Amino acid sequence: MYSGEEQTARVQFTLMQYDEKEFQEKDFHDPEECLSAIARDKVTWINVDGIHNTELIQRIGEKFGIHSLTLEDIVNTEQRPKFEEYETYLVSIMKMISYTGEIHSEQLSVVLFDNNTVVSFQEADGGDAFDIIRTRLRTGKGRVRKMGADYLAYCLIDAVVDYYFLALEKIGDRIESLEEELVHNPTKGTMQLLHSMKREMIFLRKAVWPMRELINNFERCESRLIKKTTRLFLRDLYDHTIRVIDTVETFRDLLSGMMDIYLSSVSNRMNEVMKVLTIISTIFIPVTFIAGVYGMNFKYMPELESPYGYWITWGVMLTIMITLIFYFKRKKWL
Amino acid sequence: MYSGEEQTARVQFTLMQYDEKEFQEKDFHDPEECLSAIARDKVTWINVDGIHNTELIQRIGEKFGIHSLTLEDIVNTEQRPKFEEYETYLVSIMKMISYTGEIHSEQLSVVLFDNNTVVSFQEADGGDAFDIIRTRLRTGKGRVRKMGADYLAYCLIDAVVDYYFLALEKIGDRIESLEEELVHNPTKGTMQLLHSMKREMIFLRKAVWPMRELINNFERCESRLIKKTTRLFLRDLYDHTIRVIDTVETFRDLLSGMMDIYLSSVSNRMNEVMKVLTIISTIFIPVTFIAGVYGMNFKYMPELESPYGYWITWGVMLTIMITLIFYFKRKKWL
Amino acid sequence: MYSGEEQTARVQFTLMQYDEKEFQEKDFHDPEECLSAIARDKVTWINVDGIHNTELIQRIGEKFGIHSLTLEDIVNTEQRPKFEEYETYLVSIMKMISYTGEIHSEQLSVVLFDNNTVVSFQEADGGDAFDIIRTRLRTGKGRVRKMGADYLAYCLIDAVVDYYFLALEKIGDRIESLEEELVHNPTKGTMQLLHSMKREMIFLRKAVWPMRELINNFERCESRLIKKTTRLFLRDLYDHTIRVIDTVETFRDLLSGMMDIYLSSVSNRMNEVMKVLTIISTIFIPVTFIAGVYGMNFKYMPELESPYGYWITWGVMLTIMITLIFYFKRKKWL
Amino acid sequence: MYSGEEQTARVQFTLMQYDEKEFQEKDFHDPEECLSAIARDKVTWINVDGIHNTELIQRIGEKFGIHSLTLEDIVNTEQRPKFEEYETYLVSIMKMISYTGEIHSEQLSVVLFDNNTVVSFQEADGGDAFDIIRTRLRTGKGRVRKMGADYLAYCLIDAVVDYYFLALEKIGDRIESLEEELVHNPTKGTMQLLHSMKREMIFLRKAVWPMRELINNFERCESRLIKKTTRLFLRDLYDHTIRVIDTVETFRDLLSGMMDIYLSSVSNRMNEVMKVLTIISTIFIPVTFIAGVYGMNFKYMPELESPYGYWITWGVMLTIMITLIFYFKRKKWL
Amino acid sequence: MYSGEEQTARVQFTLMQYDEKEFQEKDFHDPEECLSAIARDKVTWINVDGIHNTELIQRIGEKFGIHSLTLEDIVNTEQRPKFEEYETYLVSIMKMISYTGEIHSEQLSVVLFDNNTVVSFQEADGGDAFDIIRTRLRTGKGRVRKMGADYLAYCLIDAVVDYYFLALEKIGDRIESLEEELVHNPTKGTMQLLHSMKREMIFLRKAVWPMRELINNFERCESRLIKKTTRLFLRDLYDHTIRVIDTVETFRDLLSGMMDIYLSSVSNRMNEVMKVLTIISTIFIPVTFIAGVYGMNFKYMPELESPYGYWITWGVMLTIMITLIFYFKRKKWL
């Protein structure tokens, strides 16, 4: 059922437990061991790295009473972002996006249980995005240690959305430099780059648009798992998602406009090529004809006998050429 | 009333009956025989292959109390996918899509009755799609033997949607190879292929978009025929359909973008042709003129008498040619 | 108030009365005569041919208690299709479409009264579309004789929608042949044909889209004039209308795509013309220059004296020409 | 606050009062005089010509208890069409459109009070549009004298919408003649005309789309000022507005299509020009080369000595030319 | 958390307090000082210039009980315009737009508290926009001194929307002059200007569209902080926002149409260039060939011997040239 690239890394369970005063952290490789280490009176976060091992995922899923459909969604990396409410838990499935020349996407699932527990599933360690949360948990800075599991779930999703901003910033820089290139030195490769960036925008849209619905449903769901104070934060997160979507749409509009620029600059260059051809041809074709006329071998051609014929002919030819050059100047072709 | 291609194959009724413990399977060619073989305390699935025989369809329809409008929809292969709720049954009419170079579509109707019975209608045997369900029924693997007729109906529709993914994967590969071709070797045929793929996308959209509404209505209908556990699966299936639609729309966007690439590569090639013409013309037209001048037959042309005239002329001509070549180099036309 | 083309034909009132057992049919030219012939215990259908005679329409309208606004709509052939509910009657105004090379449209109004009466208004005899209903009424085949006036109204609208399918089929054939022409032999006329078909699609959309709302409102209106069994048929008719709309939209998409093909085939032909010009010019311009050089009349040109000069020159010229031909072959221009 | 062009004309108040039996009409230049002439038991219509005099407008506004925001909207000629409900009155602000080569727009505000009074505000005398209403009021023809102030307000708005149809008809004729021009004799000016008509459509849309909402809100507002019989007329007027919008959208679609025709006809002409160039060049370049060859001055050129050389050369040149002409014929370039 | 450009200016708090009779105004640099100066029985407006000093913002926020999420939004200059309702205050975050060749945008936040207090936050002094309000407050002209804090909040937002109109007017002038340039003298720079104006429209849309929702939510929110009389003004402001949006959309449409004009004028110029080339080439190529023929050196060329050969040849060549000129005249290429 796992649909991502094949993976061999060992699955790792990271258990974090905390309340306002205490904080514990431990790594496990066996789900049962991890579960038995849970102390029930604290907020618990279990982060699972390695969703390719569907057998382990199923075992931990059963312990927590996760529906088999949810488990399928968690390990199916083609899954569309969505939020679902079950009786004992709420699940949010998202794409974590990073951008390093091209878009890299990873599936992240956050399950919030009614016993103050959050379980997050991902393939590789989404370390960078979650590091700030871990640091806050360890040091006790910020609000997170004072709040419940619902706030922790919010923090994880918030970290994902913040990562979108990072990726979009890099893409924005890329678009700007592409725009520069387009205006000053467009090549066939520019066009292909443009197309591949459009593709990436199509991909991003697919990842980002459902986030809006996800967070909206999260905020509005009537589950008692989410406290009122957390809902305020989710409302704020919703606005962030709208901003992400706005930016993606803006990028799409910009890329479409750049397409037009590209085509018009191709037309312009064609025009320039045509002008050079036309100017050279138009200047030399008439005078070449005149030279041809006096290259004829007729017996009786009075001009040929004249001592000034040659110079007069040159004069005529130069007059024609200069006249044409003036004509092109006036037409602003030169 | 049957609107598909003419068919001569004999209609076949396949009766499957099962509960958690037992499973029976039998083929019939006569509807009455088939119906009399039904044992009422089990889940019953009758698969009808051959909707071209409207007379037989009408006979079986009357036995089951299917409304004449529903029967018309079942045999009208131009029917739009839809879900309808009648008092004693729920009917889902869909398109089963397969892709082998071109899209092949077949109409499938699934009728769920209130006596734990499902009747499915199709023209040819949609064997491949349903084989997995049949195998599960025969072997008792998976959930299907433990659940009711509503779950069976879900399984049939799910098989159809899974087939969409298969078709879309093949189409995706095709688009990718077309994209490759477009960039490296676009021909007039590429354009026509692009157009025919666009047509196919138009067709697919027409088949896929109504599926969304269909499954949504199925899940939300207040009929007691659908149990709550099955509704969860239908909600999941709804998400799959959204993914199918997303993919179709993505393909449409990609094909539109490829159109632009095609047109721009046509422009680029035109540019290249023009450049060759311009370069050759521009280099040779001026020097041909000079040659023409000294081909004139004037009696008094002092240059002709000079012993170095010929070589000086060659020098001038070569200078012009080389200057122009440098000019084109600087303009990056060479 | 009548806004169609001027008409001189006499207005004809066709009265049909029936129940399950009996059927009567009679033509009148005087509305009062027609009305006095109505027997109250049967289903009554009065078909009025000739809405240009507004005075007669007004007289019959007053007898039936039709609101003056409705009468205006009936005779205004520019009317948009719509459904309206009045206290004593329901009125549906539609466009009947037929296609014979170009679209021919005629306005049809169907008024359903609460005394089991249907009055239909049209300009010319929409005979072909209604003939099947008349035949069924006369022969008693099908359901229509067993049902009430609401079912008759449904049948009339259904006949209109069926006529759309006929027209769309013809248009579909036309589009297909146009597509063929576009690929194999596009001319300036093809472009104009494309444009005029687009115009027709714009017209069709205007006629067809409101039908959806019309039938939806008809089905959903809470009037007691429509029985529950008829509503099922209206729901089915609604689906047919959606299919008509789908097809019109598909045709629009196809025509847009064909526009692209046309433009790209124009570009391709231009490319071909340019290539021929470039090849011929590029091959002959350099060698013509060489010929020009040895046509110069300088006294001291050593090559001219050489006995092999002519043949060597030919050799050089042929070499250049063959080299260029190979170059174009490699570039796939030949 | 008045935002239209400067005006110097004196403001005129036209007071009309009527019931089914009587009708009075009088012009005033002073608002207080006008108001004191009102007899309370009749329907009253005060038409104010000249909204540039904001001071007078404010005085009359205060007498009638019009909110200062409404007064601002009435004199602000940039106002978007809208309907608003206040406690003692309903106000509709519209654009009156006329078309004489270009679109001329004027703002009209109709205020319906709860004391059977309508006050209409406009800059110039919208005489033509309202003349038919005035005539009906004076002669007592039609319904208007029998109905209340709400029906009068409806009549005024209806007159505005009818004027839209007049303008659209003229624009439609213009588009048709432009289409003709485009096909048979497209010039650079045609393109600019097309663009300016597109601009006009953008303007028209802005004026027409809000009318739909305006009339819808008018019909649906729960004010007791509007009687049920008048609502029927408003519903009909709503349909007219939809038709106006439909027509504007159709014109937009047509103009877009004409843009495509223009571009394709430009391409076609370019093709034609290219063909002429290619044909002439291709026919003469090879034979000019041959002539060049035998114009060379080599000492040993055996062909030159042959008595038939000249004629054979002519033969070869003619053969080449004819062959090429046939080639172009076969390619359908000639 | 502050995301705008770095700022060093000192934060300034401007306190204004007023009722119908009195008005006080004072500047502070310390928030606590400012707060202690507030007299509770008057309407209070504190304008904060300098949101880059997040520490000061946080201090004042805490005094007023502003939620930390709101504070984050106030200092994050990338914030999307939005309205939010908290228990003790309403917050509106907007973009103030000014146009001086390019769009300059600044974030403005208006917080309305339940103790008759408005606090506005901005980076630089949005002086010009608010000056009119300050003048009215100081002089007591207009309504503002007679109304409460909710009306003041309305006035601030209204000033922002009025500034949009100013900016749009300038942009409209720019578009008009660009249109002129496009028709009479299009250059490569015009295209880039067009593109950059499109970018600005994309930016403006992002700022303007959410304003609609903002003001709608403001008007419709059920908070007791907004009095009924103020709601009327907000409804009017909503209409203004719709007009702003309409104008932005109109500009977008115009710019798209100008793109088409640009491309068609590029095509037209290409056509013109091609025509000149074709005319010159076509006229001279055939006659050059004839000259070439009689430049051949065959021994036996009877025409060369004829005393009239030369003149006859000239006659033929001139005939060809004149014929071709007539041909081009007829084709309207000249």
Side-chain angles (χ1 to χ4, degrees), chain C residues 68 82 199 274 294 305, chain D residues 143 179 239 274 297 299:
Chain C
S68 61
K82 70 173 173 182
R199 284 191 78 145
M274 292 306 301
Y294 294 110
E305 310 300 321
Chain D
R143 283 182 206 89
E179 212 163 17
D239 280 333
M274 293 305 301
N297 298 318
K299 277 249 166 68

Side-chain angles (χ1 to χ4, degrees), chain A residues 72-282:
Chain A
E72 276 174 36
D73 290 345
I74 286 171
V75 299
N76 181 348
T77 59
E78 304 284 315
Q79 187 54 46
R80 210 172 159 262
K82 69 172 172 182
F83 169 80
E84 282 196 337
E85 190 179 350
Y86 284 83
E87 258 172 66
T88 57
Y89 62 89
L90 307 172
V91 60
S92 307
I93 301 176
M94 290 155 288
K95 300 286 171 203
M96 197 184 287
I97 300 289
S98 56
Y99 188 80
T100 55
E102 56 181 21
I103 287 175
H104 179 78
S105 149
E106 195 187 326
Q107 181 149 311
L108 170 73
S109 309
V110 174
V111 193
L112 170 64
F113 292 95
D114 51 3
N115 55 358
N116 237 354
T117 303
V118 170
V119 183
S120 57
F121 297 88
Q122 52 188 329
E123 184 45 49
D125 189 0
D128 297 332
F130 289 171
D131 267 357
I132 191 164
I133 300 170
R134 287 196 189 101
T135 308
R136 283 190 194 155
L137 282 175
R138 285 170 194 143
T139 59
K141 270 186 192 158
R143 285 182 205 87
V144 65
R145 282 270 290 272
K146 294 168 202 145
M147 314 281 278
D150 56 338
Y151 187 80
L152 177 63
Y154 151 76
C155 285
L156 296 177
I157 302 173
D158 186 49
V160 169
V161 173
D162 275 352
Y163 245 51
Y164 287 165
F165 282 110
L166 273 183
L168 286 176
E169 211 168 288
K170 285 182 196 159
I171 293 171
D173 291 350
R174 191 93 183 271
I175 286 176
E176 218 159 282
S177 79
L178 190 60
E179 212 163 16
E180 205 71 3
E181 193 182 325
L182 211 57
V183 169
H184 296 111
N185 187 23
T187 65
K188 214 175 163 181
T190 319
M191 176 71 203
Q192 269 158 50
L193 199 54
L194 210 54
H195 183 64
S196 79
M197 295 208 71
K198 268 187 160 177
R199 285 191 78 146
E200 283 177 353
M201 284 305 122
I202 291 172
F203 179 84
L204 259 184
R205 283 187 92 197
K206 269 172 73 178
V208 165
W209 271 96
M211 283 300 285
R212 180 182 166 170
E213 212 187 325
L214 186 160
I215 294 170
N216 195 30
N217 289 346
F218 202 166
E219 190 210 328
R220 309 219 164 179
C221 86
E222 292 168 10
S223 167
R224 81 215 125 72
L225 293 190
I226 308 171
K227 282 166 217 129
K228 210 186 154 193
T229 47
T230 307
R231 281 186 210 272
L232 276 183
F233 288 94
L234 285 169
R235 191 172 70 172
D236 194 64
L237 184 54
Y238 180 77
D239 280 333
H240 290 194
T241 316
I242 300 282
R243 257 170 66 201
V244 169
I245 290 172
D246 266 15
T247 310
V248 172
E249 294 303 314
T250 301
F251 286 172
R252 270 169 59 95
D253 279 4
L254 285 178
L255 288 170
S256 292
M258 285 158 77
M259 193 75 206
D260 287 338
I261 292 195
Y262 177 78
L263 288 176
S264 100
S265 88
V266 166
S267 282
N268 272 318
R269 252 178 316 152
M270 177 92 99
N271 252 0
E272 212 185 335
V273 170
M274 291 306 302
K275 267 194 232 161
V276 167
L277 176 59
T278 304
I279 289 163
I280 297 290
S281 301
T282 309

